[in-house]
Amino acid sequence: MSGTLYIVATPIGNLEDMTYRAVRILTEVDLIAAEDTRHSLKLLNHFNISKSLTSYFDHNQQFKGERILNALRQGKNVALISDAGTPCISDPGYNLVRDAVAAGITVIPIPGACAAIAALAGSGMPSDSFTFAGFPPSRQGKRCSFLTELSALPGTLLLYEAPHRLADTLRDIRQVMGERQVVVARELTKIYEEFIRGTASEVIAAAIDQGRVRGEVVILIAPGELARAVAEPLDGLLRRLLDEEGLSVKDAAKKASLITGTSRSEAYAEALRLTNGVGNE
Ligand code: SAM
């Protein structure tokens, strides 16, 4: 009979967030697959867990995944952990779980810390509906397209970001999405845990200009007017962009086309019609 694959969450900073169940499962399994074995050894030592470790990270997933599946097929119980938080959430694990499920192996998640969920819970932003989009692309062009696609979604948007890219990403958020409410949740569960809240500009001023960008961060973006505009007919949206935001016909058409998915030429024709053909280019 096959063994069981356990997907075990570990702390994102504060070791007290390790669950009793995680300790028990890690103690009981035959093998632990870890993103970085040296890093995880410290965690395991702290909890007096002495167990065979194997590495499972982005670049050896295919080869290691097959070996882990073989161990499971031979009846071994395996736990997968990542460097911090919940495996599979912007961490390796998805491929292994997918293949284990396809092979008929039982997969059991052992829930625990996850930076995105902790950030959302403490942010004060709407939590009834949210989108977690992982890390934005590192190149600015791709990042802006990525943000544009997400900007029309309803609900709170959650992103992970590396501290050295936080400034650029926050500026792109302001550029693409406007002055929405933003929260930067940094160093969650650690000594310098902090929530920086405000409009995009206020958070940029507080977080970047005052140099508070060290440590790990989650960015949360409140649903904006643009998100609500999706449900608006094209003409209503264009009216707001032209009259309230003061955009030119060309810019309003471009923005409306990005928001609604209408073709640029159709949005342009409609904007021209609304301004009686007097484009204020
Ligand atoms: N699997 C992890 C989880 O469940 O949260 C996420 C791993 S991902 C590789 C690492 C990113 O998560 C960091 O760059 C940061 O955006 C976020 N993160 C992890 N720990 C954090 C913390 N203590 N405070 C704020 N953000 C954190």
Side-chain angles (χ1 to χ4, degrees):
M1 206 175 120
S2 298
T4 297
L5 174 62
Y6 295 93
I7 307 301
V8 182
T10 58
I12 55 170
N14 190 327
L15 292 181
E16 288 182 40
D17 292 331
M18 187 78 170
T19 69
Y20 290 110
R21 194 170 172 222
V23 172
R24 180 177 62 77
I25 295 292
L26 292 176
T27 307
E28 288 175 1
V29 290
D30 301 296
L31 177 67
I32 297 174
E35 191 181 358
D36 177 340
T37 49
R38 272 193 304 179
H39 176 94
S40 292
L41 206 49
K42 290 183 204 148
L43 176 86
L44 299 177
N45 285 341
H46 181 86
F47 290 101
N48 290 323
I49 299 167
S50 158
K51 194 62 56 177
S52 306
L53 271 175
T54 187
S55 65
Y56 180 79
F57 49 85
D58 279 341
H59 299 293
N60 73 359
Q61 283 196 31
Q62 208 172 347
F63 154 72
K64 269 305 176 71
E66 204 38 57
R67 285 178 57 173
I68 293 168
L69 286 177
N70 278 338
L72 287 158
R73 284 191 196 101
Q74 285 161 18
K76 302 247 188 293
N77 293 320
V78 180
L80 174 70
I81 57 177
S82 61
D83 286 352
T86 304
C88 304
I89 307 300
S90 292
D91 265 343
Y94 160 68
N95 291 343
L96 182 62
V97 173
R98 178 198 59 200
D99 295 346
V101 169
I105 289 161
T106 304
V107 178
I108 298 184
I110 308 297
C114 173
I117 298 301
L120 180 65
S123 68
M125 291 215 167
S127 54
D128 52 342
S129 164
F130 63 90
T131 299
F132 169 69
F135 286 93
S138 54
R139 299 215 355 234
Q140 193 186 23
K142 286 197 172 159
R143 186 163 59 226
C144 285
S145 315
F146 167 90
L147 292 170
T148 301
E149 274 182 28
L150 295 170
S151 71
L153 289 174
T156 299
L157 177 61
L158 283 88
L159 303 173
Y160 283 163
E161 190 49 290
H164 64 278
R165 293 209 184 95
L166 179 65
D168 286 345
T169 297
L170 286 175
R171 289 192 191 103
D172 288 346
I173 288 169
R174 181 174 57 188
Q175 158 107 31
V176 170
M177 301 186 179
E179 283 295 3
R180 292 202 193 175
Q181 290 295 311
V182 169
V183 174
V184 169
R186 65 179 281 267
E187 293 290 84
L188 292 166
T189 78
K190 304 183 199 173
I191 296 174
Y192 296 108
E193 175 176 291
E194 170 178 40
F195 286 85
I196 306 169
R197 302 181 172 89
T199 61
S201 291
E202 286 165 352
V203 170
I204 289 170
I208 313 297
D209 303 346
Q210 293 171 23
R212 287 191 287 167
V213 285
R214 271 167 297 164
E216 297 189 283
V217 291
V218 181
I219 305 172
L220 300 98
I221 306 159
E225 278 214 25
L226 293 182
R228 286 196 285 281
V230 175
E232 258 182 273
L234 180 64
D235 58 347
L237 171 61
L238 281 167
R239 274 234 173 279
R240 282 194 315 107
L241 295 174
L242 291 162
D243 299 345
E244 289 173 31
E245 291 193 25
L247 296 187
S248 69
V249 163
K250 193 170 153 206
D251 287 344
K254 190 171 161 190
K255 202 161 179 179
S257 130
L258 281 173
I259 293 167
T260 60
T262 312
S263 74
R264 185 108 38 111
S265 57
E266 190 184 329
Y268 187 76
E270 181 63 14
L272 271 183
R273 189 185 67 75
L274 291 172
T275 54
N276 297 320
V278 191
N280 54 339
E281 303 295 294

